[in-house]
Amino acid sequence: MKPRVLVTRHVYPAAVAILQEDCIADYRDTYDVMDEAALVKRLRLAKGVVCQLTDPLTAAVIEQCPELRVISQVAVGHDNIDVAAATARKIVVTNTPGVLTEATADLTFALLLAAARRLPTAERFLRDGKWQRWDVDLLCGHDVHERTLGIVGFGRIGQAVARRARGFSMRVLYSSRTPAAPEVEQELGAQRVPLDLLLKQSDYVSLHVPLREETRHMIGVEQLCQMKRSAFLINTSRGPVVDENALVAALEEGLIAGAGLDVFEHEPRVHPGLLEHPGVVLLPHVGSAVTSVRSLMCALAARDCAAVLRGERPQHPVNPEVLG
Ligand code: DGY
């Protein structure tokens, strides 16, 4: 009998077709999100799940799904999944790195430019019919070219952002647990420095670390105080990497100039202090939101899920140790 796979929420249809070749796809074609209890009810008899970052694949959920053999996440970040609990049960977890790198780097740069040059404010000004004439100091913003960009986390996406910064003749600093290969540093003109130095010297600080216990609130009061008063914080990684209360206080006190945020600590709730602040550009977690990219992500997750259930090695295991 074909194994049963739960597809928790709406995906691009090709992904469902891929699953149906080898599996029975229990497809919830809806945008609604299930809580833990609803998820357990639907997942209890399934061998696989194609899930999204809105789905709570917690230890408690995993424990109550004895048949589960694979969890395939339609995203590169997987902080909604208790990977340790899955690994303890020898459940394979997969994600979708690679296909969204360039799109996310593009969006990071769009956010940086939008914040620096006050694009949302300028557009609102025009749409509100406030534009009377050209004025020498109308809606002036900050330079981007030849400024210093500090990239925190220098994986695929961080490096793709650095590549874009070269086109703007920016000085690129990065901080990461492990150094990039010398040829990568050379190609990207990037210099590895400790985080505190990066914060002190950068005009733009862009975050590209996964959410883990050690990265939760890695940007808090202390770090924001180290930044230049003219600097911007850009976050397209995960909201909880930044202590949002500290960020709002730093913005209100003028400790930094502004921020460009695609992710938030309590999505989809956005801190009212951010909504009110004119120096902040806010987006609803759309870093990889390009149709071709999102459909590739769905297909990749489906393909890896089906591969595991066929007894094959998936392309992108998060916990390869369970594959033996
Ligand atoms: C990811 O992949 O982790 C993004 O946040 C969604 O594309």
Side-chain angles (χ1 to χ4, degrees):
M1 190 161 110
K2 286 182 174 184
R4 190 179 184 84
V5 173
L6 171 64
V7 182
T8 58
R9 300 179 65 222
H10 179 76
V11 289
Y12 282 88
V16 180
I18 289 168
L19 286 172
Q20 282 168 337
E21 287 172 21
D22 300 299
C23 315
I24 297 166
D26 175 14
Y27 180 30
R28 273 184 87 243
D29 190 6
T30 169
Y31 295 98
D32 290 349
V33 175
M34 286 182 282
D35 62 14
E36 289 192 29
L39 188 54
V40 167
K41 208 164 162 199
R42 193 86 178 232
L43 192 56
R44 200 171 304 159
L45 300 177
K47 298 237 184 285
V49 57
V50 172
C51 60
Q52 303 181 19
L53 49 85
T54 43
D55 297 316
L57 268 300
T58 60
V61 169
I62 289 169
E63 193 193 314
Q64 293 173 77
C65 298
E67 299 292 316
L68 204 54
R69 286 171 46 202
V70 53
I71 300 173
S72 289
Q73 167 96 330
V74 183
V76 65
H78 47 74
D79 40 281
N80 57 307
I81 302 169
D82 192 323
V83 177
T87 304
R89 279 259 324 273
K90 297 211 176 326
I91 296 169
V92 183
V93 179
T94 73
N95 68 344
T96 61
V99 292
L100 48 73
T101 301
E102 302 303 330
T104 308
D106 285 348
L107 194 280
T108 303
F109 235 85
L111 207 42
L112 186 158
L113 288 166
R117 297 299 300 272
R118 305 173 60 192
L119 300 189
T121 305
E123 204 215 27
R124 219 172 302 127
F125 178 82
L126 182 150
R127 283 183 191 272
D128 290 349
K130 292 182 180 159
W131 189 27
Q132 305 286 333
R133 60 190 170 253
W134 186 92
D135 292 332
V136 74
D137 55 355
L138 178 65
L139 291 163
C140 287
H142 295 244
D143 264 331
V144 173
H145 72 279
E146 293 178 1
R147 297 293 159 173
T148 299
L149 172 64
I151 300 177
V152 181
F154 209 52
R156 289 184 182 86
I157 298 172
Q159 291 182 20
V161 170
R163 202 162 289 117
R164 282 151 182 76
R166 295 217 76 181
F168 285 78
S169 306
M170 296 179 92
R171 173 177 175 234
V172 178
L173 304 177
Y174 77 94
S175 74
S176 68
R177 283 191 305 193
T178 45
E183 56 275 21
V184 172
E185 287 190 348
Q186 201 180 352
E187 184 215 330
L188 300 176
Q191 186 192 348
R192 182 166 176 251
V193 293
L195 180 61
D196 56 349
L197 199 65
L198 179 147
L199 295 168
K200 282 183 193 140
Q201 296 201 353
S202 297
D203 299 297
Y204 301 91
V205 173
S206 191
L207 307 179
H208 300 284
V209 290
L211 177 60
R212 297 202 183 101
E213 263 335 288
E214 64 270 25
T215 59
R216 188 177 292 277
H217 284 193
M218 86 182 278
I219 302 296
V221 180
E222 195 189 320
Q223 291 69 27
L224 291 160
C225 286
Q226 290 176 313
M227 287 174 68
K228 296 183 186 180
R229 283 188 171 258
S230 55
F232 287 80
L233 180 70
I234 311 298
N235 190 8
T236 56
S237 61
R238 281 293 183 266
V241 170
V242 176
D243 176 346
E244 230 163 57
N245 285 326
L247 174 60
V248 169
L251 287 161
E252 283 170 358
E253 287 164 30
L255 295 182
I256 64 169
L261 307 172
D262 183 44
V263 289
F264 302 91
E265 208 172 339
H266 305 288
E267 293 180 15
R269 260 191 304 125
V270 178
H271 195 301
L274 295 174
L275 290 171
E276 282 155 22
H277 198 283
V280 183
V281 181
L282 306 165
L283 297 178
H285 203 147
V286 289
S288 64
V290 172
T291 308
S292 58
V293 172
R294 287 281 170 86
S295 56
L296 277 172
M297 288 163 67
C298 293
L300 199 52
R303 227 174 276 130
D304 265 358
C305 183
V308 172
L309 294 177
R310 280 195 307 267
E312 295 166 12
R313 196 180 172 85
Q315 225 182 317
H316 296 295
V318 168
N319 54 352
E321 61 271 31
V322 304
L323 293 167

